[in-house]
Amino acid sequence: MKRLSFLLFSILFYSVANAQALKHVVFSAGADLTSLSFITDQKIIIKMSPDGKVIEYGNELEPGRFYSQPGRLQQYMGRVEFYEKQFDTILNGKLKNIGTTSIMYYGSTENASLVGKVKSIGTMWFDYYTDFENEAVRGKLKSAGQKNFSYYTSFENEAYRGKIRTLGNNQITYYSTFDDKSIRGKLKSIGSYNYTWYTSLDRQGWQGALKTGSQYQLIEGVTYIIW
């Protein structure tokens, strides 16, 4: 009995340890969430848009090139398959398998706000806000595996309405319309990590550029890239 319990525990531990995970979150111009990258158990990166579309896939660049070319991927040379000749034509042409990882999508019979979006990557399942939600969040990623996502609604300040508000346990804040025009809508904090930016009062060419705060911030195993 003890041996069986140990075996079951070992299988569970292996499955969790090798499950897909969120790897990178990219904010362009320090303001807008543009992509989320997930890593498979074979270390393959699948990059998605915030509304659940596959943008790119491949392998990570070596560290030196990664930090000079953030988000760029090397071509994956292994097995890649696409959906074709499907009864539900919405699937045709979409990435189906990469390495040993399968990808599923919401089909044409689902809620209109879900159609064509990634439903699962391997063992990780995705959910999205539907047409019944506030207009600023409709169609956006609601959960990826155990991580939940929330967004500022259309009732919030104009500078950050519709932007991501929480990712997992981390609160994300932005500068508002009451702040300098060069920094409105830009990141103010992710969890306990703060960001400041050069304002319109600073030297020409510096305005709106990152002043303090790391361009690459590792938080709970996820690298936030401010680019």
Side-chain angles (χ1 to χ4, degrees), residues 33 41 60 70 79-80 102 108 121 123 127 129 135 137 147 157 209 211:
L33 174 64
D41 53 3
E60 282 188 272
R79 173 194 179 214
V80 179
S102 298
S108 58
I121 296 177
T123 58
D127 193 15
Y129 290 92
E135 59 185 347
V137 308
K147 286 193 182 295
N157 187 277
K211 186 175 184 179

Side-chain angles (χ1 to χ4, degrees), residues 139-219:
K140 293 181 179 178
L141 188 62
K142 187 174 187 178
S143 65
Q146 306 253 325
K147 286 193 182 295
N148 295 318
F149 300 76
S150 70
Y151 303 83
Y152 291 93
T153 70
S154 58
F155 304 111
E156 311 279 355
N157 187 277
E158 184 180 357
Y160 47 78
R161 67 180 57 155
K163 294 181 183 287
I164 188 166
R165 183 173 196 156
T166 60
L167 196 167
N169 298 320
N170 295 298
Q171 177 86 16
I172 302 173
T173 64
Y174 305 82
Y175 290 92
S176 75
T177 53
F178 301 108
D179 292 300
D180 183 89
K181 63 181 181 180
S182 294
I183 66 173
R184 292 171 189 167
K186 289 186 177 289
L187 283 168
K188 190 173 186 179
S189 67
I190 300 175
S192 60
Y193 299 91
N194 299 315
Y195 299 85
T196 62
W197 307 80
Y198 289 100
T199 71
S200 58
L201 301 177
D202 289 301
R203 185 186 307 177
Q204 189 73 26
W206 289 27
Q207 299 166 0
L210 186 63
K211 186 175 184 179
T212 64
S214 177
Q215 189 179 354
Y216 302 90
Q217 187 64 61
L218 182 64
I219 306 174

Side-chain angles (χ1 to χ4, degrees), residues 11-25:
I11 293 172
L12 178 61
F13 177 81
Y14 180 84
S15 298
V16 172
N18 290 275
Q20 290 66 43
L22 180 60
K23 181 72 172 175
H24 303 138
V25 174

